[in-house]
Amino acid sequence: MATHQAKREPTESAASIRAGELEVGYIDGGSGVPLVLVHGGESDRTQFATLRAHLGPGIRAISYDQRDSGITVNPPDPYTLSDLADDLAALLDALGLQRAHLLGTSFGGAVAQHAALRHPERVASLILVATTPSFAMCVEAVSELLEMSHGDRQNAVADFFVTPEGQAEFQTRAAQTLAVRDPGQSARRHEAARQHEIRDRLARIAAPTLIVHGTADRLAPYAGALLMEQRMPNAELRAIEGGRHAITMEFAEPIARWVREFLAVTPA
C-alpha cells in the first residue's frame, strides 16, 4: 500500500459560469495544462480536494458541478450521459478552452467517455479512474448503494470506498464527499447512470487514455478496466492492488504522480 502524506491545498477560486443553458459551479485552481476533473455520481465539484493537493505546479485543475450537483442550476428535466457530455463541451467553451485533458472518476468517468465519443476534437486525453464502460457490469452493487438513504450510504463507505488499511484516515473524509440531493435530483442522475453502455463503442475512443483502477473495487469491477484497456486503441492500465472505489482520495499521491507523467508535466 502507498503511504499517505498530507499536503497543503493549492490556491483555488470557487465561482459559477454560464455554460450553454446552465449556470455551472466550478473550482479553477493552478495554471498550466488544463485538466478537467469530472466528479462521481454521488459527489460534486469538491470531491477532488485531496487529489488537487498532490497535483503540483504546471496543471490547471478545473472541477465543476454536473447537473443536479452542488451549486449548478439546471431545469428539472430528465437527461442522459450524452447531455452531460455536451454540458462539459459547453463548459470548455465558456472557459475559452478549445481542448482539455479529462479526468473522470466513477460516474464522471462515464461522462468523460461520452465526451470523448461526442466531442473527440475537444478531448486531448482521458484519465479514467474507478469507472466502467457499462452500467450492466456493476448493476448489482451500484443498485444496492443507490437504494440506500444518504445516511446509510455514508455508513457504507467502509465497505465500498476505502480499504481496511485506509479506513481510519479516509472513511470520514470519503463520506463527506457524498452530496445531499432531493429525490428528483437523485432519480434523474440514477436514470442517466442506468443508460450507460458503450462496450461496443470503446474502439472509437482514440484519445490517449490512462486507466487507473483498484483491483478490489466492488462498485466498478476491475473487469471493466481490463475491457477498456483491451478495446480502446490507445489505453494503458495502472492497477492499484486491493484498491476500492475512492482511490483518487486514498491513493491520491501515486495517482497524481501518474497523472503528471501521463500529461508529460515536469515532475513536482
Side-chain angles (χ1 to χ4, degrees):
M1 293 291 179
T3 58
H4 309 295
Q5 296 179 344
K7 287 193 175 184
R8 181 175 60 85
E9 293 288 338
T11 301
E12 298 173 350
S13 60
S16 62
I17 191 170
R18 189 71 180 180
E21 299 179 350
L22 309 181
E23 194 71 25
V24 177
Y26 73 107
I27 299 172
D28 192 345
S31 62
V33 176
L35 175 65
V36 179
L37 308 172
V38 193
H39 67 76
E42 301 306 306
S43 301
D44 60 23
R45 71 191 186 286
T46 65
Q47 175 185 350
F48 297 100
T50 303
L51 181 63
R52 282 175 174 275
H54 290 81
L55 284 175
I59 295 176
R60 178 186 176 188
I62 304 159
S63 60
Y64 72 100
D65 290 325
Q66 300 159 25
R67 297 191 190 206
D68 293 321
S69 305
I71 61 173
T72 284
V73 179
N74 58 271
D77 301 325
Y79 47 84
T80 66
L81 282 161
S82 294
D83 294 322
L84 296 179
D86 293 347
D87 291 346
L88 201 165
L91 176 65
L92 296 183
D93 289 338
L95 294 172
L97 294 171
Q98 183 60 36
R99 300 176 80 218
H101 304 273
L102 307 182
L103 185 156
T105 182
S106 192
F107 181 94
V111 174
Q113 292 167 49
H114 283 261
L117 287 168
R118 293 178 65 81
H119 305 280
E121 75 285 355
R122 311 300 299 273
V123 179
S125 73
L126 287 175
I127 302 169
L128 302 177
V129 185
T131 191
T132 179
S134 168
F135 182 82
M137 298 185 73
C138 51
V139 60
E140 184 174 348
V142 172
S143 295
E144 178 184 349
L145 192 72
L146 296 185
E147 290 169 3
M148 297 179 184
S149 67
H150 178 72
D152 288 342
R153 199 174 294 136
Q154 287 186 309
N155 292 333
V157 162
D159 292 328
F160 285 98
F161 289 89
V162 294
T163 67
E165 296 85 354
Q167 285 173 12
E169 182 175 357
F170 294 100
Q171 181 173 345
T172 298
R173 200 187 310 179
Q176 290 172 342
T177 68
L178 300 177
V180 178
R181 291 180 172 85
D182 67 37
Q185 293 173 322
S186 294
R188 288 189 291 272
R189 289 185 65 76
H190 297 170
E191 181 58 28
R194 292 186 179 96
Q195 297 173 29
H196 176 47
E197 176 57 75
I198 66 159
R199 281 177 289 186
D200 61 348
R201 291 186 283 164
L202 286 172
R204 292 169 47 191
I205 299 179
T209 302
L210 173 64
I211 302 165
V212 182
H213 214 98
T215 60
D217 192 331
R218 291 177 58 194
L219 294 174
Y222 188 62
L226 293 173
L227 184 65
M228 290 188 292
E229 181 191 32
Q230 176 187 357
R231 294 190 179 180
M232 295 171 70
N234 296 304
E236 61 175 294
L237 172 62
R238 294 283 189 101
I240 296 181
E241 190 65 34
R244 294 185 179 177
H245 202 57
I247 53 176
T248 55
M249 177 178 294
E250 186 174 354
F251 299 93
E253 184 176 359
I255 290 176
R257 184 172 66 253
W258 296 341
V259 168
R260 294 183 66 82
E261 293 170 356
F262 182 66
L263 300 182
V265 178
T266 302

